Amino acid sequence: MIGPGTGVRVYLACGVTDMRKGIAGLSAMAQDVLRQKPASGAVFAFRGRRGDRLKLLYWDGQGFCLYYKVLERGRFPWPTAEAGVARLTSAQMAMLWEGIDWRRPDWGAPPARVG
């Protein structure tokens, strides 16, 4: 994906977002709903009602970038509206962008040795 590299802060707007919103509307949501500065260099993620559309808003130092992805099949995994805002790592963001469920990766500790 073109855009922010590793180590960037990622905020998800939990629940449903009106996907007709553009840069101005999404940056207002980042400030008013997520309580973050839109031009801070963080990535803000928004998902539509059907779950197959994702928008990412990112300030690259010169202006806002708006990434938009529509899945042909499936839905983006997303927390419920009650969660308010969720923080993701850049690795979880990469998983989300690919449609992988970032909430349940199978990365547990190695199995205990039986001795």
Side-chain angles (χ1 to χ4, degrees), residues 21 33 36 45 61 63 76 78 85 90:
K21 289 184 184 292
V33 177
Q36 299 295 321
F76 289 103
W78 210 253
V85 63
S90 53

Side-chain angles (χ1 to χ4, degrees), residues 89-106:
T89 65
S90 53
Q92 289 171 319
M93 178 69 245
M95 292 171 68
L96 173 65
W97 189 253
E98 294 300 323
I100 300 169
D101 194 344
W102 53 271
R103 300 168 298 184
R104 295 182 283 129
D106 194 14

Side-chain angles (χ1 to χ4, degrees), residues 53-96:
R53 296 161 197 273
L54 183 69
K55 284 188 176 181
L56 304 179
L57 181 68
Y58 170 67
W59 174 264
D60 71 355
Q62 295 178 320
F64 282 106
C65 302
L66 183 61
Y67 301 94
Y68 185 44
K69 185 166 185 175
V70 180
L71 291 177
E72 290 292 317
R73 290 187 309 266
R75 298 166 52 112
F76 289 103
W78 210 253
T80 62
E82 293 80 39
V85 63
R87 281 278 312 263
L88 268 62
T89 65
S90 53
Q92 289 171 319
M93 178 69 245
M95 292 171 68
L96 173 65

